[in-house]
Amino acid sequence: TINIHFIENKAPTVAPALSATFTQKLRQHLTSLSSLAQVDNDKADYDIKGSIMTYNVTVASITGTETSAKNRLTIGVNIIFEDRKDKEKNFTQTFSRFADFDASNNFQTVEATLIETITDELKDDIFNRAFVNW
């Protein structure tokens, strides 16, 4: 069994639906790729807690006229993983991913797509670290 707690958004900039979306994606991913069942108690074999610590847009590249050509959305998640059967596999780690987009695009129009891409990569990274031991 696995208990994946709600992943809170503690980033200075908050995307309103990010916590719920990411938590649900992580739960679905981990339970669909394994025989683990999601439970909401402290008796689970595995326990995952965490929080979104980074959500920001920065300049990724500039043009010859020193204006932004590409911007970058970065999302960072701090994860605490506990394996109650093998304490050696416990870890606390920050996972961070980003996606670039044309600076000519309005961020609000590409934000949902960027979040989808980044959270897919993050859930894969967390699964691999927890269960594939990379």
Side-chain angles (χ1 to χ4, degrees), residues 29-111:
H29 189 67
L30 282 128
T31 56
S32 69
L33 290 181
S34 67
S35 59
L36 297 171
Q38 167 69 30
V39 296
D40 292 321
N41 62 49
D42 292 333
K43 301 200 186 313
D45 298 313
Y46 304 102
D47 192 74
I48 295 179
K49 297 176 185 164
S51 52
I52 297 163
M53 303 303 290
T54 306
Y55 184 88
N56 62 24
V57 176
T58 57
V59 174
S61 67
I62 58 173
T63 66
T65 59
E66 296 187 18
T67 58
S68 177
K70 293 264 187 199
N71 288 331
R72 174 174 291 168
L73 172 64
T74 302
I75 300 175
V77 184
N78 186 48
I79 296 294
I80 301 165
F81 176 81
E82 182 181 356
D83 181 335
R84 293 202 169 103
K85 293 183 177 188
D86 186 355
K87 301 288 184 201
E88 299 274 325
K89 294 182 180 176
N90 292 355
F91 67 83
T92 299
Q93 181 174 337
T94 298
F95 297 87
S96 183
R97 287 289 185 149
F98 65 86
D100 293 343
F101 61 98
D102 286 330
S104 61
N105 290 338
N106 181 321
F107 177 64
Q108 285 74 25
T109 61
V110 296
E111 184 177 21

